[in-house]
């Protein structure tokens, strides 16, 4: 059984049960279920097509954004990448050593703040997914400005 993200599957299951009660004749009930299944499939295919078109439009916007010479238009992705990279380095490399060194000399100093890595991880994973496209571009020798 697949995962029904839209909730339409349960609606159609419910509709199937109603059809069984309305049409006592199995042949007519099966025909009605088949028609309902066709509608379900057409709707799901349309939903997938709509998502695909939305993704294509987003890629077009990304391409226009990336080709801009303005730092405020094309520079936000590298900036966010550097911020995420610095946050990971701080949280997992620098901070443990700093805390250890401070605790050796001043054990009563308050703890250093930690960063919320859950949100940063989500952001970084999204950017790394976009980074795959740049790897593809480099492999196919698409020049960046």
């Amino acid at each position: 059984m697949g995962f029904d993200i839209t909730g339409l599957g349960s609606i159609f299951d419910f509709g199937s049960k109603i059809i069984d009660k309305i049409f006592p004749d199995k042949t007519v009930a099966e025909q009605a279920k088949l028609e309902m299944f066709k509608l379900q499939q057409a709707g799901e295919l349309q939903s997938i097509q709509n998502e695909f078109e939305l993704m294509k439009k987003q890629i077009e916007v990304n391409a226009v954004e990336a080709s801009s010479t303005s730092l405020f238009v094309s520079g936000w992705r590298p900036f966010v990448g550097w911020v995420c990279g610095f946050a990971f380095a701080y949280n997992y490399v620098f901070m443990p050593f700093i805390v250890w060194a401070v605790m050796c000399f001043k054990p009563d100093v308050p703890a250093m703040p930690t960063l919320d890595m859950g949100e940063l991880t989500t952001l970084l994973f999204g950017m790394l997914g976009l980074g795959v496209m740049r790897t593809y571009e480099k492999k196919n020798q698409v020049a960046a400005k």
Side-chain angles (χ1 to χ4, degrees):
M1 179 187 269
F3 182 69
D4 181 23
I5 198 165
T6 63
L8 292 175
S10 59
I11 292 171
F12 284 103
D13 289 341
F14 178 70
S16 169
K17 291 176 185 174
I18 291 175
I19 289 172
D20 285 339
K21 292 191 187 265
I22 293 173
F23 299 108
D25 182 14
K26 291 287 185 197
T27 310
V28 175
E30 291 300 321
Q31 187 65 25
K33 286 180 187 177
L34 179 62
E35 290 301 317
M36 189 174 64
F37 180 72
K38 286 180 184 177
L39 289 173
Q40 178 188 12
Q41 292 300 317
E44 287 180 7
L45 290 176
Q46 183 61 42
S47 174
I48 291 169
Q49 182 65 30
N50 290 343
E51 288 178 29
F52 178 71
E53 291 299 322
L54 183 63
M55 285 184 214
K56 281 183 11 184
K57 288 179 183 176
Q58 183 61 52
I59 290 171
E60 291 171 8
V61 168
N62 293 349
V64 169
E65 226 177 55
S67 66
S68 173
T69 57
S70 170
L71 182 62
F72 292 104
V73 176
S74 62
W76 72 270
R77 288 176 204 249
F79 169 75
V80 172
W82 281 106
V83 167
C84 286
F86 178 76
F88 271 92
Y90 166 78
N91 221 46
Y92 296 114
V93 178
F94 301 129
M95 189 179 68
F97 286 113
I98 293 170
V99 168
W100 173 77
V102 169
M103 293 302 280
C104 287
F105 300 105
K106 299 265 188 182
D108 56 340
V109 173
M112 292 180 68
T114 59
L115 302 175
D116 181 7
M117 299 311 289
E119 291 183 14
L120 281 171
T121 303
T122 302
L123 181 62
L124 186 64
F125 286 168
M127 290 190 64
L128 289 175
L130 297 174
V132 172
M133 291 301 294
R134 184 62 189 141
T135 302
Y136 174 79
E137 289 173 349
K138 284 183 178 182
K139 181 180 174 189
N140 291 324
Q141 299 176 346
V142 175
K145 291 183 180 185

